[in-house]
Amino acid sequence: MGSDFVPVARALSARGFDLAIRAAPGQPHVRAGDAMILWQGTDDPLARARALEGGVQEVVGPWMHEAEAAARIIRLAQEQQPRLVLGDLVIHLLDRRVERAGRPVPLLAREYALLLHLARHAGQPLSRADLLRAVWRLDFDPGTNSVEVHMSRLRAKLDRGCARPLLRTVKGRGYMLDVGVGVGADRGSGA
């Protein structure tokens, strides 16, 4: 990419993004999911227009401020990220972000793993033993209330301020993510 890309790489790194940079035939580019971002060494509007018409999703270069170039790359990376969409719940699978009704839901690693497992089995009650095996990787019951504590914390974070709770306790069967609508995997825009 050349030394002129270094400020952009630093700006991306400071925001927690790692890059996969590959040389494409003719021009270096950055891939963000399925999107291709062209690194154009000089400010050439005609070449930029041809690249965009040719299928490139974005063109950045040293002729723009590194913060703007980084913001454009990050925007595309986030749009291209695979995610699980369940009603008003969106789980971003790569950067492990969770949103409910457009509101970010900050989760600890174990809470995220628990939610993801429940989401992948939405509408099905999962027993304490199922959760211990899948999330904690335990084939025995340690005799603690860890599952209950994590479910309580997850429920408080996920359902806070929402009219309809997603996490349910199914008496005698376990816990369930009840989205009440179709479940689907989504790649990119259109939550």
Side-chain angles (χ1 to χ4, degrees):
M1 297 290 272
S3 62
D4 53 356
F5 188 73
V6 170
V8 176
R10 282 191 189 125
L12 288 166
S13 179
R15 291 179 176 93
F17 284 83
D18 292 325
L19 298 177
I21 301 170
R22 299 181 191 106
Q27 293 280 350
H29 68 279
V30 178
R31 293 208 61 87
D34 293 331
M36 186 178 5
I37 304 162
L38 178 67
W39 178 257
Q40 186 182 49
T42 59
D43 186 7
D44 183 348
L46 189 55
R48 191 164 42 254
R50 281 193 304 268
L52 291 168
E53 288 171 356
V56 171
Q57 283 79 11
E58 185 64 84
V59 180
V60 296
W63 35 270
M64 64 175 48
H65 191 277
E66 66 262 10
E68 179 184 358
R72 289 172 181 266
I73 293 169
I74 289 169
R75 177 185 50 83
L76 273 175
Q78 289 174 335
E79 287 175 0
Q80 294 292 316
Q81 183 178 158
R83 56 192 174 185
L84 191 59
V85 179
L86 304 108
D88 66 352
L89 176 67
V90 180
I91 303 171
H92 299 268
L93 300 173
L94 293 182
D95 64 9
R96 298 176 174 222
R97 285 182 303 117
V98 175
E99 299 168 11
R100 171 102 195 260
R103 172 186 57 89
V105 180
L107 298 177
L108 300 174
R110 184 81 63 176
E111 294 165 345
Y112 176 84
L114 186 57
L115 176 62
L116 186 58
H117 187 70
L118 288 164
R120 287 183 171 152
H121 298 88
Q124 301 173 13
L126 298 173
S127 70
R128 175 183 163 79
D130 292 335
L131 296 174
L132 283 168
R133 192 171 22 264
V135 178
W136 278 263
R137 306 282 187 230
L138 296 175
D139 286 325
F140 64 94
D141 190 334
T144 67
N145 65 346
S146 188
V147 173
E148 292 77 12
V149 168
H150 280 83
M151 284 302 297
S152 176
R153 289 179 183 164
L154 180 59
R155 182 177 282 131
K157 290 179 180 183
L158 195 62
D159 292 339
R160 180 181 329 145
C162 295
R164 185 178 177 280
L166 290 180
L167 291 177
R168 287 192 25 214
T169 302
V170 181
K171 192 163 178 84
R173 298 188 60 205
Y175 299 97
M176 178 176 76
L177 189 66
D178 182 12
V179 293
V181 295
V183 176
D186 180 30
R187 286 193 49 90
S189 60

